[in-house]
Amino acid sequence: MLYFKLQYRIFLLFGCFFVLFFTSPLVINGQNFEIRGKILDAETQKSIDNANINLKGSELSEVSVAGGYFKLENVSKGKYTLFINAKGYVHYEQVVNLKDELDLGTIYLLKQGASGTGAALNHTIRATNITNLFNERPNLMGGNMIYGIAPEPTQVEGDNYLDSKWNTASLLLYRDNKMLEGSRVRYNITSNVVEIFNPETLKISSMPGIRVQNLVWVDSAHRVPRYFVNGKDFLDEGAPILGFFEVLVDGELPLMRRTKAIFKESNYNEALMVGNRNHQIIKRDIYYYLVGRDVIEVPSNRKNLFGIFGEKAEEMKKYVNSNELSVKDPNTLFQLFTFYNAKFPDFKPVMTTLVKYN
């Protein structure tokens, strides 16, 4: 009996030794690290506090503190998607491959509404690309560089202008309701700047869009007038808007269009030589209707679309069906809103509504 007790104790002792010996390396290999960085406004270079930072697929999250600094602690080695969300800014995502302590340096966020200058866009793209480069290719190898062939430089296709050509226009300024007539202008969507060309001096001056209440220009291609009003006079979910809306149909229920410039980064793969080599600036039109000062995006769903016309919903539906129109076509929206507003001959123009609130 004594023999079996001794054997049992030896077995327990050996078992404990076995567990300690073979699990110790796992503790070492399971070492945790930290990810830190600083978040700034890409345009103003000011720090962004109270931004939410988290690693997708994990419970790790943090909030940026004074100076825009953040630090995620006790992060296991591995590949993660860092996600940053700050109120009023475009969401930021970045893949990180954590092998050691990681300092992401400065991360630039762009304000929503396609705001920010071209330089700000470049800051954001550069910060993302450089970090990805070190994470994905720490030895800077890959693509054509393996063969000693320098890759072609990445270009940017497109521009940030609503119309890159100069249009003859009249501008109404907020200050003293001053009118500038017969100017040659073009509008930069991204920076919200109206550029004015003087044909006599051949010089170009710039004016912040927030100073222009509305403008009318003659389209350079179709020679028809286009009417724009400043978004700061409207509300989108209770907040003013940066940029201009084009009034397509005025009336009881105005139809307006806002154009955004969206930066699409190159998806070219150097190693496989597939994808789009150049970055692209893509123009996207979004359509809205106006109720008081509130701009509301036009629904894409047929049922919801007809619902905005209230008691005349069925009449609008019959109009679309009888003319075999597609609600996915912007021309249909123009025809539909024109048909509806024609039923209200004593309508109040958009500017009349704005004067009421100013």
Side-chain angles (χ1 to χ4, degrees):
M1 189 69 178
L2 181 61
Y3 172 79
F4 286 108
K5 287 184 178 180
L6 184 60
Q7 288 289 88
Y8 180 72
R9 289 176 180 175
I10 293 173
F11 176 78
L12 288 178
L13 183 61
F14 180 80
C16 292
F17 175 79
F18 179 88
V19 171
L20 289 172
F21 181 82
F22 286 97
T23 57
S24 294
L26 294 179
V27 174
I28 295 172
N29 290 337
Q31 183 181 356
N32 293 334
F33 305 103
E34 71 175 35
I35 300 174
R36 58 185 177 274
K38 181 172 68 172
I39 306 173
L40 298 183
D41 183 302
E43 186 173 5
T44 65
Q45 307 295 303
K46 292 183 178 179
S47 62
I48 301 175
D49 302 334
N50 298 316
N52 295 308
I53 303 100
N54 65 74
L55 298 180
K56 284 189 173 181
S58 78
E59 297 181 355
L60 295 169
S61 64
E62 193 53 79
V63 176
S64 60
V65 295
Y69 291 97
F70 70 89
K71 181 166 62 175
L72 293 167
E73 298 179 303
N74 297 320
V75 186
S76 302
K77 181 168 62 174
K79 198 169 186 178
Y80 300 91
T81 298
L82 180 79
F83 182 80
I84 300 176
N85 178 26
K87 185 177 181 181
Y89 289 86
V90 177
H91 295 164
Y92 179 95
E93 287 192 25
Q94 177 179 336
V95 175
V96 294
N97 193 3
L98 190 62
K99 299 178 181 178
D100 204 339
E101 303 290 337
L102 181 59
D103 186 350
L104 296 176
T106 302
I107 295 175
Y108 295 93
L109 298 188
L110 290 171
K111 287 182 179 176
Q112 291 177 352
S115 64
T117 61
L121 281 170
N122 288 333
H123 272 304
T124 304
I125 296 159
R126 190 179 305 117
T128 303
N129 284 349
I130 289 176
T131 306
N132 283 343
L133 181 64
F134 280 100
N135 286 333
E136 303 295 335
R137 289 158 51 193
N139 57 359
L140 301 184
M141 296 294 287
N144 290 333
M145 290 303 292
I146 294 177
Y147 308 101
I149 304 173
E152 295 179 13
T154 301
Q155 305 292 330
V156 177
E157 298 176 356
D159 57 69
N160 293 306
Y161 293 101
L162 189 61
D163 182 351
S164 59
K165 297 179 181 178
W166 296 98
N167 299 275
T168 302
S170 296
L171 294 79
L172 177 64
L173 307 185
Y174 282 103
R175 186 172 182 179
D176 301 325
N177 284 329
K178 183 179 180 181
M179 178 74 75
L180 301 179
E181 298 190 62
S183 304
R184 301 275 298 279
V185 305
R186 62 183 182 182
Y187 174 63
N188 189 311
I189 302 169
T190 305
S191 59
N192 190 30
V193 166
V194 177
E195 298 179 0
I196 304 173
F197 173 68
N198 188 326
E200 296 182 359
T201 62
L202 302 180
K203 291 184 178 180
I204 299 174
S205 57
S206 298
M207 179 181 297
I210 57 174
R211 291 178 54 189
V212 181
Q213 184 172 9
N214 65 72
L215 63 93
V216 180
W217 78 35
V218 179
D219 185 86
S220 61
H222 302 96
R223 310 304 300 171
V224 294
R226 298 176 63 180
Y227 178 39
F228 300 87
V229 290
N230 202 316
K232 64 178 286 189
D233 291 319
F234 303 111
L235 298 175
D236 182 6
E237 297 183 353
I241 307 159
L242 187 69
F244 286 85
F245 287 86
E246 180 176 5
V247 181
L248 300 176
V249 181
D250 211 341
E252 180 73 14
L253 191 68
L255 174 67
M256 304 195 298
R257 175 171 61 194
R258 186 182 181 204
T259 303
K260 291 186 176 181
I262 301 171
F263 188 91
K264 185 178 181 181
E265 192 173 349
S266 166
N267 61 356
Y268 188 73
N269 187 308
E270 287 285 352
L272 301 178
M273 291 185 286
V274 295
N276 193 328
R277 181 180 294 278
N278 292 331
H279 303 312
Q280 294 177 305
I281 297 175
I282 300 172
K283 311 288 175 57
R284 180 188 172 201
D285 291 331
I286 305 174
Y287 295 85
Y288 299 84
Y289 62 99
L290 182 65
V291 179
R293 291 183 66 190
D294 295 315
V295 289
I296 306 168
E297 188 170 345
V298 174
S300 57
N301 177 278
R302 280 177 63 94
K303 182 179 179 180
N304 294 338
L305 171 61
F306 296 128
I308 69 176
F309 297 105
E311 61 184 19
K312 297 187 182 297
E314 280 302 316
E315 187 178 354
M316 298 300 105
K317 184 177 180 180
K318 289 179 181 178
Y319 174 78
V320 169
N321 292 337
S322 61
N323 289 278
E324 299 181 348
L325 301 175
S326 169
V327 296
K328 301 294 184 182
D329 186 351
N331 290 324
T332 295
L333 294 180
F334 179 82
Q335 291 176 257
L336 187 61
F337 275 77
T338 299
F339 178 69
Y340 176 82
N341 284 298
K343 299 179 179 299
F344 302 89
D346 56 344
F347 75 88
K348 297 179 180 179
V350 170
M351 285 311 299
T352 304
T353 302
L354 295 183
V355 170
K356 173 184 174 184
Y357 289 101
N358 286 334

